[in-house]
Amino acid sequence: MRKIVLYIAASLDGYIARSNGNIDWLHDEKYTIPDEDFGYSAFMKTIDTTLMGHSTYKEILSFDAPFPYLDTKNFVFSRSLKQNTEDVEFINNDAAEFIKQLKQQPGKDIWLIGGGQLNTLVLNTGLLDKIILTYIPIVLGEGIPIFTKGTKEQKLKLKQLESKQYSNGFVQAVYNI
Ligand SMILES: NC(=O)c1ccc[n+]([C@@H]2O[C@H](COP(=O)([O-])OP(=O)(O)OC[C@H]3O[C@@H](n4cnc5c(N)ncnc54)[C@H](OP(=O)(O)O)[C@@H]3O)[C@@H](O)[C@H]2O)c1
């Protein structure tokens, strides 16, 4: 069965965005390493579908750039938005059942983009298979956590051979659930 993979970056204290949703701290020029994309393009070849929460979708639309995921089927979870666009389909009802059905369909793996609310839903329903978490060497002190309140305890298995460290201080840990 195809896997659901959370591929995400977080501060050392576990935040994926500032409290106002801003992710400016991820895009510091000093983190650039020539010809290094931290496994992104290789990962993109393994997936054909993305899942994101409405807040994450809004953050992506706020970038001064075209919608970035044009080669994948994209699902946005929202109880308030229903009008599909040419880029995304909105899922309003029974998110867990929808994701369960999606996993059973043939296809490549599924990228759980985030954010924290959707990550929690997928983890709590037992549908998450893998986490590729890039720790950014910064402490934010407050923000939106990778998993929100109400997350069930979950033990993870570190895949040592797939985990990596980079010269800019990034540490990419790969976990199986
Ligand atoms: N660091 C990174 O790599 C990274 C990656 C991804 C996201 N982020 C950041 O994460 C932040 C957003 O995280 P978040 O936790 O605030 O929000 P989120 O998970 O992206 O979205 C939350 C929204 O999803 C909808 N939703 C949640 N549960 C649902 C359900 N069961 N059924 C249907 N819809 C549901 C609701 O939308 P409605 O209110 O419309 O009902 C809810 O307000 C953004 O700032 C984004 O930039 C960072």
Side-chain angles (χ1 to χ4, degrees), residues 8-9 16-17 21 23 26 53-56 59 77-80 91-92 95 113-118 121 144:
I8 199 162
I16 56 171
I23 51 167
L26 276 176
H54 182 191
S55 303
T56 295
E59 192 65 27
F77 294 80
S78 168
R79 296 183 185 92
S80 61
I91 306 301
N92 313 112
I113 294 182
Q117 286 186 38
L118 192 63
L121 175 99
I144 297 172

Side-chain angles (χ1 to χ4, degrees), residues 25 135 138 142 168:
W25 51 278
Y135 291 99
I138 186 172
E142 60 179 50
N168 61 0

Side-chain angles (χ1 to χ4, degrees), residues 135-150:
Y135 291 99
I136 311 301
I138 186 172
V139 175
L140 291 175
E142 60 179 50
I144 297 172
I146 182 168
F147 296 108
T148 57
K149 266 192 183 160

